[in-house]
C-alpha cells in the first residue's frame, strides 16, 4: 500500500518486549529512492522528551489506522486492542470485571491486566489491503 504525506498510520513494533503493539503516527516524508517512509509518532517522544519521535520505516511496518467500531461490551475470549504505554496492544478478553472494566490477557507478555472499557477497541487485521474484523 502506498501512503501519502499526512496520512495517519499505525506502526507495528517488532522490537523485543513490544511485539504485538501498534503506535499511532503520521507520514511526514517518503524516500522515493528506496520506498522507505518517515513517520512522526503521536505518542512517542525523542529520548530527550523535547519533541515527537521521528523514524524511517519500511512499508511493511505500516498500516492504515483501523476503522473505529463502537462496542457497548466485549465477549469472553474476544480478541481486542488495548491502549496502554503509548500504544495499542493485542490481547484477549478473559473476564468482565464490571460494566466499565475488563481483564485482558496478552499472550506476548503472558500478563493479565484490568483495563477500562474506554481503552479497549475491537481488533482488526490488515489483510490483502482490507480490514478484517477478528472473531
Amino acid at each position: 500500500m502506498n501512503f501519502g504525506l499526512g496520512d495517519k498510520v499505525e506502526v507495528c513494533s517488532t522490537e523485543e518486549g513490544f511485539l504485538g503493539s501498534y503506535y499511532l503516527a503520521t507520514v511526514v516524508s517518503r524516500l522515493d529512492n528506496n520506498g522507505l517512509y518517515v513517520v512522526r509518532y503521536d505518542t512517542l517522544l525523542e529520548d530527550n522528551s523535547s519533541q515527537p519521535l521521528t523514524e524511517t520505516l519500511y512499508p511493511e511496518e505500516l498500516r492504515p489506522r483501523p476503522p473505529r467500531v463502537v462496542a457497548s461490551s466485549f465477549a469472553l475470549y474476544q480478541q481486542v486492542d488495548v491502549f496502554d504505554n503509548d500504544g495499542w496492544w493485542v490481547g484477549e478478553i478473559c473476564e468482565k470485571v464490571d460494566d466499565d472494566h475488563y481483564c485482558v490477557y496478552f499472550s506476548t507478555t503472558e500478563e493479565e491486566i484490568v483495563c477500562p472499557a474506554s481503552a479497549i477497541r475491537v481488533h482488526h487485521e490488515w489483510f490483502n489491503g482490507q480490514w478484517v474484523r477478528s472473531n
Side-chain angles (χ1 to χ4, degrees), residues 39-59:
V39 301
R40 182 180 56 245
Y41 288 94
D42 292 4
T43 57
L44 299 179
L45 300 175
E46 295 283 351
D47 287 338
N48 62 8
S49 299
S50 65
Q51 60 189 5
L53 176 65
T54 301
E55 191 171 39
T56 302
L57 301 166
Y58 291 100

Side-chain angles (χ1 to χ4, degrees), residues 3 6 21 29 32-33 35-36 53 90 98-99 105 110 113-114 134:
F3 297 101
S21 62
S29 179
D32 289 326
N33 56 342
L36 296 172
L53 176 65
V90 179
D98 59 36
D99 286 342
Y105 173 73
E110 298 184 352
I113 62 170
V114 174
S134 68

Side-chain angles (χ1 to χ4, degrees), residues 17-19 89-90 104-113:
F18 295 93
L19 193 62
W89 297 76
V90 179
V104 179
Y105 173 73
F106 300 93
S107 61
T108 56
T109 60
E110 298 184 352
E111 292 178 287
E112 287 183 10
I113 62 170

Side-chain angles (χ1 to χ4, degrees), residues 1 6 11 23 26 34 47 52 63 80 98 102-103 115 120 123 128 135:
M1 177 170 190
V11 178
Y23 296 87
T26 302
N34 53 15
D47 287 338
R63 67 183 194 177
V80 295
D98 59 36
Y102 291 85
C103 184
C115 305
I120 302 173
H123 181 74
N128 287 334
N135 295 330

Side-chain angles (χ1 to χ4, degrees), residues 2-11 24-31 36-42 54-55 57 62-63 65:
N2 288 320
F3 297 101
L5 298 182
D7 281 356
K8 304 293 185 185
V9 296
E10 287 189 342
V11 178
L24 304 175
T26 302
V27 175
V28 295
S29 179
R30 179 162 185 190
L31 307 177
L36 296 172
Y37 290 93
V38 178
V39 301
R40 182 180 56 245
Y41 288 94
D42 292 4
T54 301
E55 191 171 39
L57 301 166
L62 305 177
R63 67 183 194 177
R65 292 191 183 177

Side-chain angles (χ1 to χ4, degrees), residues 71-119:
S72 58
S73 65
F74 299 96
L76 192 61
Y77 308 118
Q78 180 178 354
Q79 196 170 30
V80 295
D81 300 329
V82 174
F83 192 79
D84 189 50
N85 291 328
D86 298 320
W88 290 98
W89 297 76
V90 179
E92 183 178 278
I93 300 292
C94 56
E95 179 185 354
K96 183 174 183 173
V97 177
D98 59 36
D99 286 342
D100 297 320
H101 294 85
Y102 291 85
C103 184
V104 179
Y105 173 73
F106 300 93
S107 61
T108 56
T109 60
E110 298 184 352
E111 292 178 287
E112 287 183 10
I113 62 170
V114 174
C115 305
S118 61

